[in-house]
Amino acid sequence: MSKRWVVGMTGASGAIYGVKLVRYLLQADYTVHLVVTDAGWRVLHDELGWNAAKRKETLNGQFSEGYANLVYHPIQDIGASIASGSFRTEGMVVLPCSMGTLSGIAHGASGNLLERAADVMLKENRKLLLVPRETPLSVIHLENMLRLARLGVAIIPAMPAFYQQPSSLEELTDFMVGRVLDSMKIEHDLYRRWGEA
């Protein structure tokens, strides 16, 4: 089986995190099954200037290196491969993860393909990593995260560190994506680890 990861992107701020992760996985010769919510496309447009009206063409342009290993699934395609537990993957990352999507996953709503794919990860006991990007957090947000953490979901809030003395936005982004890759058990050199020269 080829190395497959599902990556979901939602309407939370921080689209650059998801884009950076997808680029890294493609460059590392992983097959990426990408699903983006409609709100996620809005954020890609607002934060990165992507053309949300021409989605496949935009993805082809943005991920030209490794595009052959990118499989894009429209959000309402409930018949997609990633909606079935018989389709084997290493796991799934939702980056960034909105609180609405997190709630849908926590309660098994499966209201769209992204939520259904996450539900598959839970029922098949595969890795599921959620990277919420929200502040402040309400009690509802915290309870939903606790519910998922108790099910074995990795909750990785988008909280970059500063001990590596970042000099650019890219370095902060690299740190956060690197922490996600750590939880995926994928080797990388995106940031300087604590105690390293």
Side-chain angles (χ1 to χ4, degrees):
M1 180 184 75
S2 64
K3 302 179 293 183
R4 297 178 184 142
W5 276 91
V6 179
V7 176
M9 296 179 65
T10 74
S13 182
I16 188 62
Y17 291 132
V19 170
K20 186 95 177 187
L21 177 66
V22 170
R23 285 193 177 129
Y24 188 90
L25 291 173
L26 292 174
Q27 290 167 3
D29 204 30
Y30 284 84
T31 297
V32 176
H33 287 260
L34 178 66
V35 58
V36 183
T37 66
D38 289 336
W41 276 106
R42 170 65 187 266
V43 174
L44 283 165
H45 173 267
D46 290 351
E47 294 185 354
L48 302 177
W50 286 24
N51 185 343
K54 297 183 177 179
R55 297 179 179 185
K56 284 201 168 186
E57 295 91 335
T58 298
L59 292 172
N60 188 10
Q62 293 295 331
F63 299 113
S64 54
E65 183 180 343
Y67 184 72
N69 288 336
L70 180 68
V71 182
Y72 173 66
H73 300 282
I75 190 67
Q76 297 303 335
D77 185 8
I78 59 169
S81 56
I82 59 174
S84 173
S86 66
F87 185 76
R88 294 169 62 189
T89 65
E90 302 290 320
M92 178 175 182
V93 181
V94 184
L95 171 65
C97 184
S98 69
M99 288 301 156
T101 295
L102 192 144
S103 175
I105 296 169
H107 296 279
S110 291
N112 57 43
L113 179 59
L114 193 156
E115 291 178 8
R116 170 58 187 169
D119 194 52
V120 166
M121 299 303 141
L122 289 170
K123 78 184 187 70
E124 299 293 332
N125 292 311
R126 295 182 190 147
K127 289 182 181 179
L128 178 58
L129 302 87
L130 306 182
V131 185
R133 216 289 326 145
E134 184 66 84
T135 192
L137 296 167
S138 74
V139 172
I140 293 172
H141 300 154
L142 293 166
E143 286 178 345
N144 285 336
M145 285 190 273
L146 180 59
R147 179 186 186 116
L148 289 167
R150 285 177 170 156
L151 294 173
V153 176
I155 306 294
I156 310 168
M159 297 178 178
F162 292 86
Y163 61 78
Q164 75 277 31
Q165 298 180 343
S167 59
S168 68
L169 183 59
E170 183 176 9
E171 287 184 10
L172 286 172
T173 303
D174 284 350
F175 176 86
M176 201 61 243
V177 173
R179 294 298 289 147
V180 173
L181 288 166
D182 286 346
S183 291
M184 296 167 76
K185 309 296 187 216
I186 295 175
E187 289 296 321
H188 67 88
D189 59 358
L190 288 178
Y191 69 91
R192 179 174 55 84
R193 298 178 186 280
W194 180 252
E196 292 182 353

